[in-house]
Amino acid sequence: MNITKSFNRSLWAFHFNSGSCNGCEIEIVATLTPRYDPERFGIKLVGSPKHADLLLVTGPVVKKMRPRLLRVYEQIPDPKVVMCVGACGISGGPFYDSYNLDGPIDDVIPVDVYVPGCPPRPEGIIFGVVRALQKLERLQGELP
Amino acid sequence: MSPATTLLPAVAGTIAISAFGILAGLLFLGIDRKFAAHMQARIGPPIRQPFIDTMKLLRKESVVPDNAIPWLFNFAPILALASSITILLYLPIGSLMPVLGAYGDLVLIMYLLTVPALAMVAGGFASGSPYATVGAQREMVTMMAYEFPLAIAIIAIAWRLSMAGIAYPFSLATIATNPFWGVMGPLGIIGGIILLLILAWVTPAELSRVPFDSQEAETELAGGLLVEYSGRNLALFYLAQGVRTIAMAAIAVAVFLPWNISTFVAMSPALALAVDFLFFLAKVLLVVFVSVSLIRVSMARFKITQIVSVYWIWFGGLGILGLLLIVLDATFGVW
């Protein structure tokens, strides 16, 4: 069963804000505008984690959001890809030594692809999606 | 007739119509997405995108929530798809008369149209999610709202045919072979155009598309009715959506645009069947373009209260006006 083949042309993304400053959200929405038109590749934003294949996480994971992030992650049906968008999710970014952080994201859930930037450009986010698909393909090849 | 001679064509026809409904449904969903993309100055997904999406959904895990009612939750998508296909069995496709045309008419179709929506409502309530419950309630309200203008549009046509002295006016075969435009004078034709517009505006609500998709509303209800559905069940709902699109368009075609090329141009029977079928697809494409793509791209979503007032007050009033024009036309004859 080759899942990556169908993911290649149809990847539904669910966006989760774990305490971001809204900068990355603006860039994610900019990625979905007609100028970049990711629907060409079957990428679309869905409203429910149950419909999603790709979890886009932004923000450094504040304490209150940790259980919510875990719940949303568990609600996404397998197989799934997690993408961390923005510097906050990678290292905490400008909030790295805040008292209220429980992150960064890879302390809470496994992350497949990191997109650096504060905020990353839409091109960066699209490149991240491509990398995520490549990684899936590689993992598929390594499996027996 | 022995049971075998009646049963066999019905079974074969059902299988053929199911395959046609699902394939054409997905194809038209893809065409609709392409239209919408081009109208928004985008390139848009390839036309086969819905097929790819369905393949992917079928390969994914299907989650049943803990607080759902499992049998109803899993049964609702099957019921939605099956009932959508059942509608197609009563509708003429090109010059092919309906498979089960002898057993049901337009009134039955009006009842059958509510079954896929009811299946979605049942699935929504069975999901055990507050979002899905709100979505299910909104779906019921929407259903009650559009039923009135839809009934006016369809009953008026059948009534006019019966006033013209045509037997079995509710039978789809009768409606498809006697275009009602032909029996009416100028007043009636104005009324008919009004009713055609009403049917074009009822279609998006029936298919839960923008601007009447408040029950699915991603931005407020996170997918509404379908919020808990994933994998195979979501794929079935997606297929049902495609088949319903074809069914709604086929109703509009059968009632309002029933002409076939073979009645105007003489040709061999096999060729006539093929040409009429292609012409039917072209008419479906026109209906899908106007009442799904064009409306959904040019409008934003209505609130649930607005949906009710739009259908009951505006389209209901307009429908009565159209009905009145047709009644006047039938009473005073052509002038």
Side-chain angles (χ1 to χ4, degrees):
Chain A
M1 199 169 75
N2 192 349
I3 190 72
T4 53
K5 266 254 172 61
S6 40
F7 268 8
N8 260 339
R9 303 292 305 178
S10 164
L11 195 67
W12 292 0
F14 179 77
H15 168 226
F16 183 88
N17 180 339
S18 68
S20 158
C21 69
N22 220 32
C24 295
E25 276 67 41
I26 290 170
E27 292 305 314
I28 286 174
V29 172
T31 314
L32 296 167
T33 52
R35 184 181 178 86
Y36 297 99
D37 188 23
E39 207 192 348
R40 280 178 295 169
F41 312 114
I43 299 171
K44 71 173 187 180
L45 208 58
V46 291
S48 158
K50 291 275 166 66
H51 303 176
D53 312 305
L54 169 70
L55 179 61
L56 290 173
V57 194
T58 57
V61 191
V62 293
K63 280 195 174 123
K64 288 279 184 193
M65 284 313 260
R66 184 193 172 97
R68 275 90 182 168
L69 178 57
L70 275 169
R71 252 179 94 177
V72 166
Y73 177 75
E74 282 159 6
Q75 279 185 0
I76 297 181
D78 285 324
K80 55 193 161 194
V81 188
V82 179
M83 217 169 108
C84 153
V85 175
C88 292
I90 298 173
S91 61
F95 314 109
Y96 72 101
D97 57 352
S98 288
Y99 64 94
N100 58 350
L101 287 199
D102 235 355
I105 291 166
D106 50 10
D107 283 357
V108 186
I109 55 172
V111 178
D112 292 296
V113 182
Y114 300 87
V115 181
C118 185
R121 292 183 64 87
E123 289 91 337
I125 298 175
I126 293 174
F127 184 65
V129 173
V130 174
R131 273 301 164 88
L133 291 172
Q134 283 172 350
K135 177 174 177 179
L136 268 182
E137 236 159 65
R138 203 182 66 235
L139 287 177
Q140 193 96 37
E142 284 168 6
L143 290 174
Chain B
M1 277 195 291
S2 70
T5 49
T6 51
L7 204 60
L8 206 63
V11 170
T14 307
I15 293 170
I17 293 283
S18 311
F20 162 74
I22 289 171
L23 293 178
L26 288 180
L27 180 72
F28 277 101
L29 286 183
I31 293 174
D32 160 54
R33 282 175 75 171
K34 197 77 180 170
F35 273 147
H38 278 298
M39 281 188 263
Q40 293 169 341
R42 293 188 284 129
I43 296 169
I47 286 174
R48 63 193 171 89
Q49 186 65 43
F51 292 91
I52 305 171
D53 287 347
T54 311
M55 289 302 288
K56 180 205 71 184
L57 285 175
L58 287 175
R59 283 170 179 172
K60 286 205 63 149
E61 184 189 8
S62 193
V63 183
V64 180
D66 276 346
N67 45 359
I69 307 166
W71 70 268
L72 191 57
F73 184 80
N74 287 316
F75 178 62
I78 300 170
L79 181 64
L81 180 59
S83 55
S84 310
I85 292 173
T86 312
I87 302 171
L88 271 185
L89 295 179
Y90 292 97
L91 290 168
I93 290 175
S95 51
L96 273 178
M97 281 302 120
V99 179
L100 298 179
Y103 306 101
D105 56 11
L106 210 47
V107 179
L108 178 70
I109 289 175
M110 286 206 40
Y111 280 103
L112 279 178
L113 272 178
T114 59
V115 179
L118 283 176
M120 292 183 75
V121 168
F125 278 130
S127 307
S129 152
Y131 290 115
T133 307
V134 173
Q137 286 163 356
R138 287 185 178 186
E139 169 76 36
M140 285 194 295
V141 172
T142 312
M143 216 154 54
M144 282 186 268
Y146 70 69
E147 211 63 27
F148 177 48
L150 178 66
I152 291 181
I154 286 178
I155 301 302
I157 302 306
W159 179 78
R160 185 68 188 85
L161 282 179
S162 78
M163 288 306 281
I166 292 166
Y168 308 115
F170 278 100
S171 150
L172 257 298
T174 315
I175 292 173
T177 42
N178 303 292
F180 78 101
W181 304 102
V183 301
M184 292 197 303
L187 260 188
I189 286 182
I190 297 173
I193 291 171
I194 291 176
L195 295 182
L196 172 64
L197 287 178
I198 287 175
L199 192 62
W201 277 91
V202 167
T203 305
E206 172 65 41
L207 304 174
S208 13
R209 307 302 290 261
V210 180
F212 303 107
D213 69 332
S214 68
Q215 67 272 42
E216 280 170 29
E218 294 90 8
T219 36
E220 2 160 358
L221 287 187
L225 285 172
L226 304 175
V227 69
E228 293 293 342
Y229 279 99
S230 59
R232 183 179 55 84
N233 287 335
L234 188 61
L236 284 176
F237 270 131
Y238 197 58
L239 292 178
Q241 169 80 23
V243 179
R244 276 166 89 189
T245 308
I246 296 288
M248 256 331 259
I251 291 173
V253 166
V255 177
F256 286 97
L257 314 162
W259 301 283
N260 280 319
I261 291 182
S262 63
T263 50
F264 299 109
V265 185
M267 52 183 104
S268 71
L271 183 66
L273 214 58
V275 168
D276 285 342
F277 181 67
L278 289 178
F279 189 53
F280 168 79
L281 288 185
K283 287 187 287 188
V284 167
L285 184 66
L286 179 75
V287 174
V288 168
F289 174 72
V290 173
S291 51
V292 178
S293 311
L294 194 62
I295 292 178
R296 101 180 156 99
V297 170
S298 50
M299 296 195 66
R301 182 180 304 129
F302 280 124
K303 286 188 281 189
I304 187 70
T305 50
Q306 290 169 328
I307 290 181
V308 175
S309 60
V310 159
Y311 277 123
W312 278 3
I313 298 171
W314 298 110
F315 286 117
L318 211 57
I320 288 171
L321 176 70
L323 182 63
L324 196 66
L325 288 174
I326 288 181
V327 170
L328 287 177
D329 182 66
T331 323
F332 299 113
V334 180
W335 49 267

